[in-house]
Amino acid sequence: DVKVTQSSRYLVKRTGEKVFLECVQDMDHENMFWYRQDPGLGLRLIYFSYDVKMKEKGDIPEGYSVSREKKERFSLILESASTNQTSMYLCASSPGGRENTDTQYFGPGTRLTVL
Amino acid sequence: RKEVEQDPGPFNVPEGATVAFNCTYSNSASQSFFWYRQDCRKEPKLLMSVYSSGNEDGRFTAQLNRASQYISLLIRDSKLSDSATYLCVVRHTGNQFYFGTGTSLTVIP
């Protein structure tokens, strides 16, 4: 059974703080993704990674960066948190690679509030 | 124009009813199509992939119409446990997925 875990379920930070959101998957998946989900806007892709140390911008990368030093771990970094980054953050992984299996498996989400 | 559009609902239906959701996508080069289910305050989970010939999984039937660029999901004999938000998801070439905003379904006893 695929498991994707996220470091926190709930997080409260102050404007200007540096925020780290961690995601770990245990299925040796090639692809990992970070989304944010907001009411009325659905899930929007921030960044994704198809291999260690590789990353690509999604639709809304501004204000975010990512790190993938190990295959199982994909970190989302808010360099200087702002109130408009208050959101639900969802990490996902998919097998990718030669299998090219499309199913995405999501972590439980981190609800971030920036005050 | 949004990549994927869905009617947000809400759809409120009695138990046992049949309900259908539609979704349209803008990129004719889209390659893969899915329906995900998201329960309140939970993460999305894959309900079913959608194949060109249409496919069925128990009470759920998914259809794809490439010419008109829409995807449908039919739920027969609705159960209370079907209450959730249903997300339409499309993948173009490459690894980027596009999600609709979801359609809310409540099945009423």
Side-chain angles (χ1 to χ4, degrees):
Chain A
D1 203 20
V2 176
K3 193 161 186 185
V4 180
T5 56
Q6 294 183 229
S7 49
S8 307
R9 292 300 302 272
Y10 299 94
L11 210 52
V12 179
K13 295 291 182 180
R14 296 206 174 274
T15 301
E17 280 192 78
K18 192 168 185 175
V19 182
F20 293 88
L21 302 182
E22 303 282 339
C23 175
V24 177
Q25 50 93 4
D26 66 357
M27 282 300 292
D28 201 36
H29 284 175
E30 303 281 343
N31 301 330
M32 296 187 75
F33 307 80
W34 274 107
Y35 296 90
R36 62 178 283 177
Q37 186 173 28
D38 300 288
L41 297 176
L43 275 83
R44 293 179 292 166
L45 182 66
I46 304 170
Y47 269 98
F48 67 98
S49 168
Y50 52 89
D51 201 354
V52 175
K53 296 192 186 295
M54 307 300 286
K55 61 185 179 185
E56 287 202 22
K57 293 180 180 179
D59 298 316
I60 51 164
E62 296 80 18
Y64 303 94
S65 62
V66 290
S67 172
R68 193 162 179 206
E69 296 296 319
K70 293 184 178 181
K71 192 174 185 179
E72 67 271 18
R73 189 179 296 270
F74 192 35
S75 303
L76 180 69
I77 303 145
L78 287 66
E79 295 290 342
S80 177
S82 62
T83 54
N84 62 14
Q85 292 178 309
T86 292
S87 186
M88 170 67 85
Y89 289 87
L90 288 158
C91 175
S93 71
S94 70
R98 288 185 180 181
E99 285 183 56
N100 195 25
T101 307
D102 293 321
T103 303
Q104 290 198 310
Y105 299 86
F106 284 86
T110 296
R111 186 165 292 280
L112 172 67
T113 301
V114 183
L115 302 175
Chain B
R1 185 182 172 187
K2 287 183 180 178
E3 295 281 346
V4 179
E5 298 208 52
Q6 293 181 251
D7 179 350
F11 285 69
N12 299 314
V13 303
E15 266 187 295
T18 295
V19 61
F21 308 137
N22 290 326
C23 161
T24 58
Y25 59 95
S26 61
N27 190 327
S28 59
S30 297
Q31 294 192 338
S32 304
F33 310 89
F34 312 87
W35 284 101
Y36 276 70
R37 171 195 169 126
Q38 187 172 23
D39 294 296
C40 188
R41 299 186 182 279
K42 298 280 191 178
E43 71 273 21
K45 291 185 179 178
L46 179 69
L47 177 66
M48 58 197 303
S49 300
V50 186
Y51 303 118
S52 297
S53 55
N55 48 299
E56 191 173 302
D57 182 3
R59 298 181 293 108
F60 299 85
T61 301
Q63 298 276 355
L64 168 64
N65 185 321
R66 285 191 182 269
S68 302
Q69 293 179 209
Y70 81 78
I71 307 148
S72 65
L73 177 68
L74 183 77
I75 305 175
R76 292 182 299 279
D77 189 23
S78 299
K79 311 288 185 193
L80 296 177
S81 58
D82 294 334
S83 298
T85 296
Y86 291 83
L87 305 173
C88 176
V89 183
V90 171
R91 184 179 69 83
H92 302 168
T93 55
N95 289 312
Q96 190 159 349
F97 294 75
Y98 294 91
F99 286 74
T101 53
T103 299
S104 174
L105 171 66
T106 300
V107 181
I108 304 162

